[in-house]
PDB file of all heavy atoms in Angstrom:
ATOM      1  N   ARG A  62     -19.812  -6.941  -0.890  1.00  0.00           N
ATOM      2  CA  ARG A  62     -18.902  -7.144  -1.969  1.00  0.00           C
ATOM      3  C   ARG A  62     -19.672  -7.601  -3.270  1.00  0.00           C
ATOM      4  O   ARG A  62     -19.304  -7.194  -4.369  1.00  0.00           O
ATOM      5  CB  ARG A  62     -17.871  -8.231  -1.629  1.00  0.00           C
ATOM      6  CG  ARG A  62     -16.802  -7.699  -0.649  1.00  0.00           C
ATOM      7  CD  ARG A  62     -15.876  -8.718  -0.174  1.00  0.00           C
ATOM      8  NE  ARG A  62     -14.716  -8.169   0.556  1.00  0.00           N
ATOM      9  CZ  ARG A  62     -14.771  -7.872   1.841  1.00  0.00           C
ATOM     10  NH1 ARG A  62     -15.847  -8.054   2.578  1.00  0.00           N
ATOM     11  NH2 ARG A  62     -13.711  -7.283   2.419  1.00  0.00           N
ATOM     12  N   ASP A  63     -20.698  -8.408  -3.147  1.00  0.00           N
ATOM     13  CA  ASP A  63     -21.495  -8.835  -4.323  1.00  0.00           C
ATOM     14  C   ASP A  63     -22.161  -7.649  -4.992  1.00  0.00           C
ATOM     15  O   ASP A  63     -22.140  -7.523  -6.180  1.00  0.00           O
ATOM     16  CB  ASP A  63     -22.541  -9.880  -3.904  1.00  0.00           C
ATOM     17  CG  ASP A  63     -21.876 -11.220  -3.552  1.00  0.00           C
ATOM     18  OD1 ASP A  63     -20.872 -11.533  -4.147  1.00  0.00           O
ATOM     19  OD2 ASP A  63     -22.476 -11.920  -2.759  1.00  0.00           O
ATOM     20  N   ARG A  64     -22.773  -6.770  -4.159  1.00  0.00           N
ATOM     21  CA  ARG A  64     -23.515  -5.663  -4.740  1.00  0.00           C
ATOM     22  C   ARG A  64     -22.524  -4.675  -5.418  1.00  0.00           C
ATOM     23  O   ARG A  64     -22.725  -4.184  -6.486  1.00  0.00           O
ATOM     24  CB  ARG A  64     -24.295  -4.940  -3.678  1.00  0.00           C
ATOM     25  CG  ARG A  64     -25.075  -3.716  -4.210  1.00  0.00           C
ATOM     26  CD  ARG A  64     -25.834  -2.980  -3.104  1.00  0.00           C
ATOM     27  NE  ARG A  64     -26.307  -1.707  -3.602  1.00  0.00           N
ATOM     28  CZ  ARG A  64     -26.613  -0.691  -2.794  1.00  0.00           C
ATOM     29  NH1 ARG A  64     -26.574  -0.826  -1.478  1.00  0.00           N
ATOM     30  NH2 ARG A  64     -27.051   0.495  -3.272  1.00  0.00           N
ATOM     31  N   PHE A  65     -21.376  -4.444  -4.759  1.00  0.00           N
ATOM     32  CA  PHE A  65     -20.346  -3.567  -5.253  1.00  0.00           C
ATOM     33  C   PHE A  65     -19.916  -4.087  -6.616  1.00  0.00           C
ATOM     34  O   PHE A  65     -19.768  -3.277  -7.636  1.00  0.00           O
ATOM     35  CB  PHE A  65     -19.203  -3.355  -4.375  1.00  0.00           C
ATOM     36  CG  PHE A  65     -18.239  -2.330  -4.835  1.00  0.00           C
ATOM     37  CD1 PHE A  65     -18.367  -0.992  -4.472  1.00  0.00           C
ATOM     38  CD2 PHE A  65     -17.235  -2.623  -5.713  1.00  0.00           C
ATOM     39  CE1 PHE A  65     -17.492   0.017  -4.900  1.00  0.00           C
ATOM     40  CE2 PHE A  65     -16.331  -1.624  -6.179  1.00  0.00           C
ATOM     41  CZ  PHE A  65     -16.489  -0.348  -5.752  1.00  0.00           C
ATOM     42  N   ALA A  66     -19.575  -5.379  -6.724  1.00  0.00           N
ATOM     43  CA  ALA A  66     -19.121  -5.928  -7.970  1.00  0.00           C
ATOM     44  C   ALA A  66     -20.156  -5.785  -9.070  1.00  0.00           C
ATOM     45  O   ALA A  66     -19.828  -5.504 -10.210  1.00  0.00           O
ATOM     46  CB  ALA A  66     -18.713  -7.408  -7.770  1.00  0.00           C
ATOM     47  N   ALA A  67     -21.448  -5.950  -8.719  1.00  0.00           N
ATOM     48  CA  ALA A  67     -22.472  -5.946  -9.699  1.00  0.00           C
ATOM     49  C   ALA A  67     -22.701  -4.472 -10.249  1.00  0.00           C
ATOM     50  O   ALA A  67     -22.916  -4.284 -11.439  1.00  0.00           O
ATOM     51  CB  ALA A  67     -23.834  -6.462  -9.110  1.00  0.00           C
ATOM     52  N   GLU A  68     -22.529  -3.518  -9.365  1.00  0.00           N
ATOM     53  CA  GLU A  68     -22.834  -2.160  -9.738  1.00  0.00           C
ATOM     54  C   GLU A  68     -21.583  -1.387 -10.244  1.00  0.00           C
ATOM     55  O   GLU A  68     -21.680  -0.548 -11.128  1.00  0.00           O
ATOM     56  CB  GLU A  68     -23.453  -1.415  -8.580  1.00  0.00           C
ATOM     57  CG  GLU A  68     -24.877  -1.893  -8.205  1.00  0.00           C
ATOM     58  CD  GLU A  68     -25.621  -0.974  -7.257  1.00  0.00           C
ATOM     59  OE1 GLU A  68     -25.243   0.218  -7.177  1.00  0.00           O
ATOM     60  OE2 GLU A  68     -26.504  -1.468  -6.562  1.00  0.00           O
ATOM     61  N   TYR A  69     -20.457  -1.668  -9.650  1.00  0.00           N
ATOM     62  CA  TYR A  69     -19.207  -0.910  -9.936  1.00  0.00           C
ATOM     63  C   TYR A  69     -18.061  -1.670 -10.437  1.00  0.00           C
ATOM     64  O   TYR A  69     -16.974  -1.198 -10.626  1.00  0.00           O
ATOM     65  CB  TYR A  69     -18.807  -0.174  -8.654  1.00  0.00           C
ATOM     66  CG  TYR A  69     -19.776   0.922  -8.236  1.00  0.00           C
ATOM     67  CD1 TYR A  69     -20.651   0.704  -7.184  1.00  0.00           C
ATOM     68  CD2 TYR A  69     -19.842   2.179  -8.904  1.00  0.00           C
ATOM     69  CE1 TYR A  69     -21.563   1.655  -6.766  1.00  0.00           C
ATOM     70  CE2 TYR A  69     -20.718   3.108  -8.518  1.00  0.00           C
ATOM     71  CZ  TYR A  69     -21.629   2.855  -7.445  1.00  0.00           C
ATOM     72  OH  TYR A  69     -22.567   3.816  -7.033  1.00  0.00           O
ATOM     73  N   GLY A  70     -18.255  -3.007 -10.686  1.00  0.00           N
ATOM     74  CA  GLY A  70     -17.229  -3.791 -11.303  1.00  0.00           C
ATOM     75  C   GLY A  70     -17.119  -3.473 -12.771  1.00  0.00           C
ATOM     76  O   GLY A  70     -17.683  -2.552 -13.270  1.00  0.00           O
ATOM     77  N   ALA A  71     -16.287  -4.280 -13.436  1.00  0.00           N
ATOM     78  CA  ALA A  71     -16.054  -4.022 -14.881  1.00  0.00           C
ATOM     79  C   ALA A  71     -17.227  -4.544 -15.695  1.00  0.00           C
ATOM     80  O   ALA A  71     -17.930  -5.438 -15.399  1.00  0.00           O
ATOM     81  CB  ALA A  71     -14.823  -4.779 -15.316  1.00  0.00           C
ATOM     82  N   ASP A  72     -17.447  -3.850 -16.797  1.00  0.00           N
ATOM     83  CA  ASP A  72     -18.350  -4.276 -17.848  1.00  0.00           C
ATOM     84  C   ASP A  72     -17.734  -5.427 -18.529  1.00  0.00           C
ATOM     85  O   ASP A  72     -16.616  -5.348 -18.990  1.00  0.00           O
ATOM     86  CB  ASP A  72     -18.642  -3.129 -18.778  1.00  0.00           C
ATOM     87  CG  ASP A  72     -19.799  -3.414 -19.788  1.00  0.00           C
ATOM     88  OD1 ASP A  72     -19.896  -4.570 -20.158  1.00  0.00           O
ATOM     89  OD2 ASP A  72     -20.550  -2.522 -20.058  1.00  0.00           O
ATOM     90  N   PRO A  73     -18.502  -6.561 -18.680  1.00  0.00           N
ATOM     91  CA  PRO A  73     -17.898  -7.708 -19.403  1.00  0.00           C
ATOM     92  C   PRO A  73     -17.411  -7.385 -20.794  1.00  0.00           C
ATOM     93  O   PRO A  73     -16.444  -7.937 -21.299  1.00  0.00           O
ATOM     94  CB  PRO A  73     -19.061  -8.755 -19.418  1.00  0.00           C
ATOM     95  CG  PRO A  73     -19.904  -8.405 -18.256  1.00  0.00           C
ATOM     96  CD  PRO A  73     -19.804  -6.858 -18.159  1.00  0.00           C
TER      97      PRO A  73
END
Side-chain angles (χ1 to χ4, degrees):
R62 288 174 169 85
D63 287 332
R64 181 184 167 198
F65 186 92
E68 294 192 21
Y69 294 100
D72 188 320

